Structures are given as structure tokens and as C-alpha cells.
Amino acid sequence: MAQAEKITPRAKDFSEWYNDVIMQAQLADYSPVRGCMVIRPLGYRIWELMQRALDDMFKATGHQNAYFPLFIPQSFLSKEAEHVEGFAKEVAVVTHTRLKATGKTGADAVEPDPASELEEPLVVRPTSETIIYAMFAKWIQSYRDLPLLMNQWCNIVRWELRTRLFLRTTEFLWQEGHTAHATEGDAEAEARQMLGVYRKFQEEWVAMPVLTGRKTESEKFAGALRTYAVEALMQDNRALQAGTSHNLGQNFARAFNVQYQTAAGGLDFVWNTSWGVSTRMIGGLIMTHSDDNGLVAPPRLAPIQVVIVPIWKNDEEKAQVSGVSAQVKDALAKAGVRVEVDLRDMKPGAKYFDWEAKGVPLRLEVGPRDVAAGQVMAARRVKTAAGKVPLSLNDLATAAPKVLDEIQDELFQAAKARREANSIRGVHKTQFLEFMNGTGGFAYGGFCGSGDCEAQIKTETAATIRVLPDPEFQSPEQPRTCMWCGKPSVAEAVWAQAY
Ligand SMILES: [Zn+2]
């Protein structure tokens, strides 16, 4: 194995640090196609664990998985006016269905066959509202067919000029939930419910505290009536939108003629919602917890939760510690722990370094003296004041999962404390400008509701309203005036510079 390279410290260059962490932990790599990424096995395992947990939560709330095509007729995208405007600048378009040989060599050897040009071009889905609601129109006839609650796991393409691994790539993986309801109230309840599911997942699994709330008109999803979002604060004090849930109103139902017969016998358009989270959450996980030694993975989403490192000086010792390590591995695996033994022919220090970069939450060192004492030495990825502590071999299968739970909780608490330390409330304009030109973070202040104020603030500070926070996150004292223009405030807003 090549000696691991040094990771750029966060304080020196956060963006370089982020890339180094991903490369050293072998989560993803750049692809030959600019703007796209390759998700490597350890990164994909995190995604699988995320998928598993979320999928269970979706099913527990009554949703079923389905799959809709990657290609959408171009005309579908233009049926909802706001929607097409929102996505036109970033869709990939398929115009031909085959290549033909040109007789030349090299890159010019083939070209699209002009005879295969499609009558109507297809777009590669940037999101699937249009094709899904075209199908809903076929499937929904009566109020008895409602609610219709679906989800799909898939890839989507939004042509990005500036890309960053996991955070912004041309193709990415996500899930998109799509539902149809009889009333506005039902759709609103669904959109709110799924926002709650996202919050629960991100707090309990990603250990990433989030604010929930509503997006302003200028920040909402193209075609939605209302957009809700979960927003997290990264270690560089920039916000990450980590999931959105939209009440789409009847906009798409009208565009795709999704009507149902009401109980009273009339005809009405359905009310839709859509909601999604993506591989972007892996970027959030990295930027919430990791440090200058590499990835820090919350135990519930760590591909490997415990690594056992046997330590030996000769063959006799190796046989002994390997045997004990295998037993420990079996016991932990039976207790449901994702565990590996590292028997590579390397110095223990180099192994520690490697597993730290890969973010393994707990390392168990098994040396001859430990075995004689009936214990192993436990070292946490995020070091505590206690340092390495001995754990008895006898009850390791109960002790190790307990430590993992503690680590999970501590990561969440630390991230929450950091977020609060980097939030200011009741800001006025001067203070806001200082804050955004300085450290940055979440700034809570009054908002008049004007898009002009939002635009000016964005131009001057690059900060945008992340959410109009839900009551739970609102300041005890509600602001009376817009922190920017001084007119009466219509809602408290949270600003931040964002990814
Ligand atoms: Zn204002």
C-alpha cells in the first residue's frame, strides 16, 4: 500500500481539505466525464446504509417504490411554465439513437447517424414530476384511488458547470417521492410529514442537526406552491440544503390533467407533493464531522464500525492475537456490528493512520499482553480525554455497541453545539454585514418579504435565506422590522452563505 498522503488542514483550505478527505477515505473519484463522479465501494456503502434506513422510513409512512424512465419527452418539460424555466438551463438532450462509422480514425471514427434523429428529442430526467404525473393521470380516476404514495430511487442529470464531489455533480443518485391527494390539507400534511422524516434521518443517522422551515418564493422549487427544506451548517459555516419537500399544489395536476371523481360525484384536480434527498448528504456527513486526520463517520452510517488491529512481534504472537481477533470479530458480528480484522503486514501505526482516514469510529487493539489480561484496548476515532481504554473480552459484544451509541450521540451533540456557536439572532444590517464578511454562519433576523431585499443581500454578501424557520427554531423574541430595509417584518428568516 502506498504511504498515505497528508490531508490539507481545514484551517488552511477547507475546499482542498474536503477533496483530500474523500480521496484518502476512498469514497469517490473524478470520472473521465467532466462533472461526473465515480462513487467507490466505501462511499457507495454509506449510500446503501442511507438508502436502507430511509427506505424503511418511507415504507413505514405508507409509500411504495416504483421506477419511471430516465428519458422524458422534451414537450413534457414545457407543460408546467415555471418548471421548464427552472430546469431548461441544465438539461441534457438526446437527439439521435445511433452512431455510424465515418471511415476516419480516432475520435472522428463515429458520429451520430443523421438518419437516426428523433422526431421529438428526449431529455434526461433532471427530476421526474412530468413523467410521473403523466402516468398518475392514467392511474387515478376516483377519490378511492387517493392518496397515491410513491417513491423512486434513481439517478438524475442536471448539467453543472462547476462541480464538487457529492455536493454538485452532473449526475447524482437520489430518491424522489411523488404523491397525489384529494385535498390541499392532505398534500400539505404529506409535505410536512416527509420533511419530518428527513429531519429524523439526518439527526439520528447522519448525526447532523438541521433547521427546518419554508423557502421563500425566490428559493422555492420550480413549479411548487410551497417548498420546505432541512438546512445544516457545515464546519466552514456555509449552509447545506440537505433535503426538500414540496407542496406542488394543483400546478402539475392541471398541466398533466390529473383529475379524479370526488365523493360527491364532481371532478377535481389532485394535489401533489414531491420530496427528495440525494448523495449530497454524504457531502454533508463529511463536512459536519470530519477532521484534519480524515473522515469521521457516524457509527450508524459507517461502512466499518469497528476495526480490530492485532499487534504482534513474532509468529507465535501473531498466531495468538489473530486467533483472539477472529473470536472478537465473530462475537461482534453476531451482535450486529460491521467489523473487520486488519491482518495486513504493516506497522500498527500505519494501520491506525489508514483507518482514521477512512473514518472507522472504533478501533480495538489486540496485543499479547492485552490477551493475557483478558482485554483489548479501545481507541475512538474522535479522541476523548480518557484516551485508549481497556475493554474486557468477556462482555465486548455488549460494550462495543454501547460505545458506538455514545459516539453517535456525541457527534450529534458536538455538531449542534458548533451550529449554535455560529448562529446569531436578532441581527440588524451592520451586524449582518460584519457577520457575513467575517466568519459567516446562520444569521436570524426580520424579513419584510420583498424579493428585492433578498436580491440585494445576495449581491452584497452572497447570503441567501435558507429557511423561514419553523416555530421550534424561531427566536424567543420575534423581530419587528426587516433587518435590511427596516420595513415591518413579515417573518423571521435565517440567512447563510450556502453550498
Ligand atoms: Zn426588507
Short mmCIF file of all heavy atoms in Angstrom, two decimals, residues 31-73:
data_model
loop_
_atom_site.label_atom_id
_atom_site.label_comp_id
_atom_site.label_asym_id
_atom_site.label_seq_id
_atom_site.Cartn_x
_atom_site.Cartn_y
_atom_site.Cartn_z
N SER A 31 -14.28 11.34 -12.59
CA SER A 31 -14.50 10.43 -13.71
C SER A 31 -13.93 11.04 -14.98
O SER A 31 -13.66 12.23 -15.04
CB SER A 31 -16.00 10.18 -13.88
OG SER A 31 -16.55 11.15 -14.74
N PRO A 32 -13.76 10.21 -16.02
CA PRO A 32 -13.29 10.76 -17.30
C PRO A 32 -14.26 11.78 -17.87
O PRO A 32 -13.88 12.62 -18.68
CB PRO A 32 -13.21 9.53 -18.20
CG PRO A 32 -13.21 8.35 -17.28
CD PRO A 32 -13.96 8.77 -16.07
N VAL A 33 -15.53 11.71 -17.45
CA VAL A 33 -16.51 12.70 -17.91
C VAL A 33 -16.50 13.86 -16.93
O VAL A 33 -16.78 13.69 -15.74
CB VAL A 33 -17.93 12.10 -17.98
CG1 VAL A 33 -18.93 13.14 -18.47
CG2 VAL A 33 -17.93 10.86 -18.86
N ARG A 34 -16.18 15.03 -17.40
CA ARG A 34 -16.09 16.21 -16.54
C ARG A 34 -17.42 16.46 -15.84
O ARG A 34 -18.47 16.40 -16.46
CB ARG A 34 -15.70 17.41 -17.39
CG ARG A 34 -15.12 18.51 -16.55
CD ARG A 34 -14.44 19.56 -17.41
NE ARG A 34 -14.40 20.77 -16.60
CZ ARG A 34 -14.91 21.92 -16.96
NH1 ARG A 34 -15.45 22.07 -18.14
NH2 ARG A 34 -14.85 22.94 -16.14
N GLY A 35 -17.35 16.69 -14.54
CA GLY A 35 -18.57 16.99 -13.80
C GLY A 35 -19.24 15.77 -13.20
O GLY A 35 -20.16 15.90 -12.40
N CYS A 36 -18.81 14.58 -13.62
CA CYS A 36 -19.40 13.36 -13.06
C CYS A 36 -18.44 12.76 -12.05
O CYS A 36 -17.26 13.07 -12.04
CB CYS A 36 -19.68 12.35 -14.16
SG CYS A 36 -20.99 12.88 -15.27
N MET A 37 -18.95 11.91 -11.18
CA MET A 37 -18.08 11.27 -10.20
C MET A 37 -18.28 9.77 -10.20
O MET A 37 -19.33 9.26 -10.58
CB MET A 37 -18.33 11.82 -8.79
CG MET A 37 -19.66 11.42 -8.20
SD MET A 37 -19.78 11.91 -6.45
CE MET A 37 -21.54 11.72 -6.21
N VAL A 38 -17.23 9.09 -9.76
CA VAL A 38 -17.33 7.65 -9.54
C VAL A 38 -17.45 7.47 -8.03
O VAL A 38 -16.63 8.02 -7.28
CB VAL A 38 -16.06 6.94 -10.04
CG1 VAL A 38 -16.12 5.46 -9.71
CG2 VAL A 38 -15.89 7.17 -11.54
N ILE A 39 -18.47 6.77 -7.59
CA ILE A 39 -18.60 6.50 -6.16
C ILE A 39 -17.93 5.16 -5.90
O ILE A 39 -18.31 4.14 -6.48
CB ILE A 39 -20.09 6.45 -5.73
CG1 ILE A 39 -20.78 7.76 -6.15
CG2 ILE A 39 -20.19 6.25 -4.22
CD1 ILE A 39 -22.27 7.77 -5.84
N ARG A 40 -16.90 5.18 -5.08
CA ARG A 40 -16.14 3.96 -4.80
C ARG A 40 -16.86 3.12 -3.73
O ARG A 40 -17.78 3.61 -3.08
CB ARG A 40 -14.72 4.33 -4.37
CG ARG A 40 -13.98 5.11 -5.47
CD ARG A 40 -12.57 5.46 -5.08
NE ARG A 40 -11.73 4.26 -5.01
CZ ARG A 40 -10.44 4.28 -4.70
NH1 ARG A 40 -9.84 5.43 -4.42
NH2 ARG A 40 -9.74 3.16 -4.67
N PRO A 41 -16.45 1.85 -3.56
CA PRO A 41 -17.20 0.97 -2.65
C PRO A 41 -17.48 1.54 -1.26
O PRO A 41 -18.60 1.41 -0.76
CB PRO A 41 -16.32 -0.28 -2.59
CG PRO A 41 -15.71 -0.34 -3.95
CD PRO A 41 -15.42 1.11 -4.31
N LEU A 42 -16.49 2.19 -0.63
CA LEU A 42 -16.76 2.69 0.73
C LEU A 42 -17.78 3.84 0.72
O LEU A 42 -18.62 3.94 1.61
CB LEU A 42 -15.46 3.13 1.41
CG LEU A 42 -14.59 1.99 1.93
CD1 LEU A 42 -13.25 2.51 2.45
CD2 LEU A 42 -15.30 1.19 3.04
N GLY A 43 -17.73 4.67 -0.31
CA GLY A 43 -18.72 5.74 -0.44
C GLY A 43 -20.09 5.17 -0.76
O GLY A 43 -21.11 5.61 -0.22
N TYR A 44 -20.10 4.16 -1.62
CA TYR A 44 -21.39 3.57 -2.01
C TYR A 44 -22.02 2.82 -0.84
O TYR A 44 -23.25 2.80 -0.71
CB TYR A 44 -21.21 2.63 -3.21
CG TYR A 44 -22.52 2.40 -3.91
CD1 TYR A 44 -23.06 3.37 -4.75
CD2 TYR A 44 -23.27 1.25 -3.66
CE1 TYR A 44 -24.29 3.19 -5.34
CE2 TYR A 44 -24.50 1.06 -4.24
CZ TYR A 44 -25.01 2.03 -5.09
OH TYR A 44 -26.24 1.87 -5.67
N ARG A 45 -21.18 2.26 0.03
CA ARG A 45 -21.70 1.56 1.21
C ARG A 45 -22.44 2.55 2.12
O ARG A 45 -23.48 2.23 2.68
CB ARG A 45 -20.55 0.88 1.97
CG ARG A 45 -21.01 0.02 3.12
CD ARG A 45 -21.66 -1.27 2.63
NE ARG A 45 -22.16 -2.06 3.75
CZ ARG A 45 -23.47 -2.31 3.96
NH1 ARG A 45 -24.38 -1.88 3.10
NH2 ARG A 45 -23.85 -3.01 4.99
N ILE A 46 -21.88 3.75 2.26
CA ILE A 46 -22.56 4.78 3.06
C ILE A 46 -23.92 5.07 2.43
O ILE A 46 -24.94 5.15 3.11
CB ILE A 46 -21.72 6.08 3.16
CG1 ILE A 46 -20.42 5.82 3.92
CG2 ILE A 46 -22.53 7.19 3.84
CD1 ILE A 46 -19.48 7.03 3.99
N TRP A 47 -23.94 5.19 1.10
CA TRP A 47 -25.20 5.45 0.40
C TRP A 47 -26.20 4.31 0.62
O TRP A 47 -27.37 4.52 0.88
CB TRP A 47 -24.94 5.69 -1.09
CG TRP A 47 -26.16 5.96 -1.91
CD1 TRP A 47 -26.62 5.25 -2.97
CD2 TRP A 47 -27.10 7.04 -1.72
NE1 TRP A 47 -27.76 5.80 -3.47
CE2 TRP A 47 -28.09 6.91 -2.71
CE3 TRP A 47 -27.20 8.10 -0.81
CZ2 TRP A 47 -29.17 7.79 -2.83
CZ3 TRP A 47 -28.28 8.98 -0.92
CH2 TRP A 47 -29.24 8.81 -1.93
N GLU A 48 -25.71 3.06 0.54
CA GLU A 48 -26.60 1.92 0.77
C GLU A 48 -27.20 1.95 2.18
O GLU A 48 -28.37 1.64 2.37
CB GLU A 48 -25.83 0.60 0.60
CG GLU A 48 -25.55 0.24 -0.84
CD GLU A 48 -24.79 -1.07 -0.97
OE1 GLU A 48 -23.96 -1.40 -0.09
OE2 GLU A 48 -25.01 -1.77 -1.96
N LEU A 49 -26.37 2.31 3.16
CA LEU A 49 -26.87 2.37 4.54
C LEU A 49 -27.90 3.49 4.68
O LEU A 49 -28.90 3.35 5.38
CB LEU A 49 -25.70 2.56 5.51
CG LEU A 49 -24.76 1.35 5.64
CD1 LEU A 49 -23.42 1.75 6.23
CD2 LEU A 49 -25.41 0.24 6.47
N MET A 50 -27.65 4.60 3.99
CA MET A 50 -28.62 5.70 4.00
C MET A 50 -29.92 5.26 3.35
O MET A 50 -31.01 5.49 3.88
CB MET A 50 -28.05 6.90 3.22
CG MET A 50 -26.97 7.68 3.94
SD MET A 50 -26.36 9.05 2.91
CE MET A 50 -25.59 10.08 4.18
N GLN A 51 -29.79 4.61 2.20
CA GLN A 51 -30.97 4.13 1.47
C GLN A 51 -31.81 3.19 2.31
O GLN A 51 -33.03 3.31 2.37
CB GLN A 51 -30.52 3.34 0.23
CG GLN A 51 -30.20 4.17 -0.97
CD GLN A 51 -29.94 3.26 -2.16
OE1 GLN A 51 -29.11 2.37 -2.10
NE2 GLN A 51 -30.64 3.49 -3.24
N ARG A 52 -31.14 2.25 2.96
CA ARG A 52 -31.84 1.24 3.76
C ARG A 52 -32.68 1.91 4.83
O ARG A 52 -33.85 1.63 5.01
CB ARG A 52 -30.80 0.30 4.38
CG ARG A 52 -31.35 -0.70 5.37
CD ARG A 52 -31.85 -1.98 4.72
NE ARG A 52 -30.83 -2.58 3.86
CZ ARG A 52 -29.98 -3.53 4.25
NH1 ARG A 52 -30.02 -3.97 5.49
NH2 ARG A 52 -29.11 -4.03 3.41
N ALA A 53 -32.04 2.84 5.57
CA ALA A 53 -32.74 3.50 6.68
C ALA A 53 -33.90 4.34 6.17
O ALA A 53 -35.02 4.29 6.71
CB ALA A 53 -31.75 4.36 7.46
N LEU A 54 -33.64 5.12 5.12
CA LEU A 54 -34.70 5.99 4.59
C LEU A 54 -35.84 5.17 3.99
O LEU A 54 -37.02 5.48 4.19
CB LEU A 54 -34.13 6.92 3.52
CG LEU A 54 -33.39 8.14 4.06
CD1 LEU A 54 -32.56 8.79 2.95
CD2 LEU A 54 -34.37 9.17 4.65
N ASP A 55 -35.46 4.12 3.26
CA ASP A 55 -36.49 3.30 2.61
C ASP A 55 -37.45 2.70 3.64
O ASP A 55 -38.66 2.66 3.43
CB ASP A 55 -35.81 2.20 1.79
CG ASP A 55 -36.71 1.69 0.68
OD1 ASP A 55 -37.07 2.51 -0.20
OD2 ASP A 55 -37.08 0.50 0.70
N ASP A 56 -36.88 2.26 4.76
CA ASP A 56 -37.73 1.73 5.84
C ASP A 56 -38.68 2.81 6.34
O ASP A 56 -39.85 2.54 6.63
CB ASP A 56 -36.86 1.23 7.01
CG ASP A 56 -36.16 -0.08 6.69
OD1 ASP A 56 -36.52 -0.72 5.68
OD2 ASP A 56 -35.24 -0.46 7.45
N MET A 57 -38.16 4.03 6.46
CA MET A 57 -38.99 5.13 6.96
C MET A 57 -40.09 5.49 5.95
O MET A 57 -41.21 5.82 6.33
CB MET A 57 -38.12 6.35 7.28
CG MET A 57 -37.18 6.12 8.47
SD MET A 57 -35.86 7.37 8.60
CE MET A 57 -36.59 8.50 9.76
N PHE A 58 -39.76 5.45 4.66
CA PHE A 58 -40.76 5.75 3.63
C PHE A 58 -41.88 4.71 3.65
O PHE A 58 -43.05 5.02 3.53
CB PHE A 58 -40.14 5.78 2.22
CG PHE A 58 -39.09 6.84 2.03
CD1 PHE A 58 -38.13 6.69 1.03
CD2 PHE A 58 -39.04 7.97 2.83
CE1 PHE A 58 -37.15 7.65 0.83
CE2 PHE A 58 -38.06 8.93 2.64
CZ PHE A 58 -37.11 8.78 1.63
N LYS A 59 -41.46 3.44 3.78
CA LYS A 59 -42.47 2.37 3.77
C LYS A 59 -43.33 2.42 5.03
O LYS A 59 -44.53 2.18 4.97
CB LYS A 59 -41.79 1.01 3.59
CG LYS A 59 -41.36 0.83 2.13
CD LYS A 59 -40.52 -0.38 1.87
CE LYS A 59 -40.16 -0.42 0.38
NZ LYS A 59 -38.92 -1.13 0.12
N ALA A 60 -42.70 2.78 6.15
CA ALA A 60 -43.46 2.88 7.40
C ALA A 60 -44.49 4.01 7.33
O ALA A 60 -45.45 4.03 8.10
CB ALA A 60 -42.50 3.12 8.57
N THR A 61 -44.29 4.97 6.41
CA THR A 61 -45.27 6.05 6.25
C THR A 61 -46.15 5.80 5.02
O THR A 61 -46.77 6.73 4.49
CB THR A 61 -44.56 7.42 6.14
OG1 THR A 61 -43.39 7.29 5.31
CG2 THR A 61 -44.13 7.92 7.51
N GLY A 62 -46.17 4.54 4.55
CA GLY A 62 -47.17 4.15 3.55
C GLY A 62 -46.78 4.28 2.09
O GLY A 62 -47.63 4.15 1.21
N HIS A 63 -45.50 4.53 1.80
CA HIS A 63 -45.08 4.72 0.41
C HIS A 63 -44.58 3.42 -0.21
O HIS A 63 -44.05 2.56 0.48
CB HIS A 63 -44.00 5.79 0.33
CG HIS A 63 -44.42 7.09 0.93
ND1 HIS A 63 -44.31 7.36 2.27
CD2 HIS A 63 -45.03 8.17 0.38
CE1 HIS A 63 -44.80 8.55 2.53
NE2 HIS A 63 -45.25 9.08 1.41
N GLN A 64 -44.76 3.32 -1.53
CA GLN A 64 -44.27 2.16 -2.27
C GLN A 64 -43.26 2.61 -3.30
O GLN A 64 -43.41 3.68 -3.90
CB GLN A 64 -45.42 1.48 -3.00
CG GLN A 64 -46.40 0.77 -2.08
CD GLN A 64 -47.47 0.07 -2.89
OE1 GLN A 64 -48.18 0.71 -3.68
NE2 GLN A 64 -47.60 -1.23 -2.70
N ASN A 65 -42.26 1.77 -3.56
CA ASN A 65 -41.28 2.10 -4.59
C ASN A 65 -41.76 1.70 -5.96
O ASN A 65 -42.44 0.69 -6.14
CB ASN A 65 -39.96 1.39 -4.31
CG ASN A 65 -39.20 2.02 -3.16
OD1 ASN A 65 -39.31 3.24 -2.93
ND2 ASN A 65 -38.44 1.23 -2.43
N ALA A 66 -41.41 2.53 -6.95
CA ALA A 66 -41.70 2.22 -8.36
C ALA A 66 -40.53 2.75 -9.16
O ALA A 66 -39.60 3.34 -8.60
CB ALA A 66 -43.00 2.91 -8.78
N TYR A 67 -40.58 2.52 -10.48
CA TYR A 67 -39.50 3.06 -11.31
C TYR A 67 -40.05 3.64 -12.60
O TYR A 67 -40.84 3.01 -13.28
CB TYR A 67 -38.45 1.98 -11.63
CG TYR A 67 -37.27 2.61 -12.34
CD1 TYR A 67 -36.32 3.33 -11.61
CD2 TYR A 67 -37.15 2.54 -13.72
CE1 TYR A 67 -35.27 3.97 -12.26
CE2 TYR A 67 -36.09 3.17 -14.37
CZ TYR A 67 -35.15 3.89 -13.64
OH TYR A 67 -34.14 4.53 -14.27
N PHE A 68 -39.63 4.84 -12.91
CA PHE A 68 -40.06 5.55 -14.12
C PHE A 68 -38.85 5.79 -15.02
O PHE A 68 -37.72 5.79 -14.55
CB PHE A 68 -40.71 6.88 -13.71
CG PHE A 68 -41.98 6.69 -12.91
CD1 PHE A 68 -41.92 6.48 -11.54
CD2 PHE A 68 -43.21 6.66 -13.54
CE1 PHE A 68 -43.09 6.27 -10.80
CE2 PHE A 68 -44.38 6.45 -12.81
CZ PHE A 68 -44.32 6.26 -11.44
N PRO A 69 -39.08 6.00 -16.34
CA PRO A 69 -37.96 6.06 -17.28
C PRO A 69 -37.00 7.24 -17.07
O PRO A 69 -37.38 8.29 -16.59
CB PRO A 69 -38.64 6.20 -18.65
CG PRO A 69 -40.04 5.78 -18.43
CD PRO A 69 -40.38 6.10 -17.02
N LEU A 70 -35.77 7.00 -17.50
CA LEU A 70 -34.71 8.00 -17.48
C LEU A 70 -35.00 9.12 -18.49
O LEU A 70 -34.65 10.27 -18.27
CB LEU A 70 -33.39 7.30 -17.85
CG LEU A 70 -32.14 8.11 -18.15
CD1 LEU A 70 -31.61 8.74 -16.87
CD2 LEU A 70 -31.06 7.20 -18.74
N PHE A 71 -35.64 8.75 -19.60
CA PHE A 71 -35.90 9.72 -20.68
C PHE A 71 -37.31 10.28 -20.57
O PHE A 71 -38.27 9.56 -20.32
CB PHE A 71 -35.76 9.04 -22.05
CG PHE A 71 -34.40 8.47 -22.30
CD1 PHE A 71 -34.24 7.12 -22.61
CD2 PHE A 71 -33.27 9.27 -22.22
CE1 PHE A 71 -32.98 6.59 -22.84
CE2 PHE A 71 -32.01 8.75 -22.45
CZ PHE A 71 -31.86 7.40 -22.76
N ILE A 72 -37.40 11.58 -20.80
CA ILE A 72 -38.69 12.26 -20.75
C ILE A 72 -38.87 13.02 -22.06
O ILE A 72 -37.95 13.72 -22.50
CB ILE A 72 -38.72 13.25 -19.55
CG1 ILE A 72 -38.53 12.49 -18.23
CG2 ILE A 72 -40.00 14.07 -19.54
CD1 ILE A 72 -38.46 13.38 -17.00
N PRO A 73 -40.04 12.88 -22.72
CA PRO A 73 -40.25 13.64 -23.96
C PRO A 73 -40.05 15.14 -23.69
O PRO A 73 -40.52 15.65 -22.68
CB PRO A 73 -41.72 13.35 -24.30
CG PRO A 73 -42.02 12.05 -23.61
CD PRO A 73 -41.20 12.05 -22.36
#
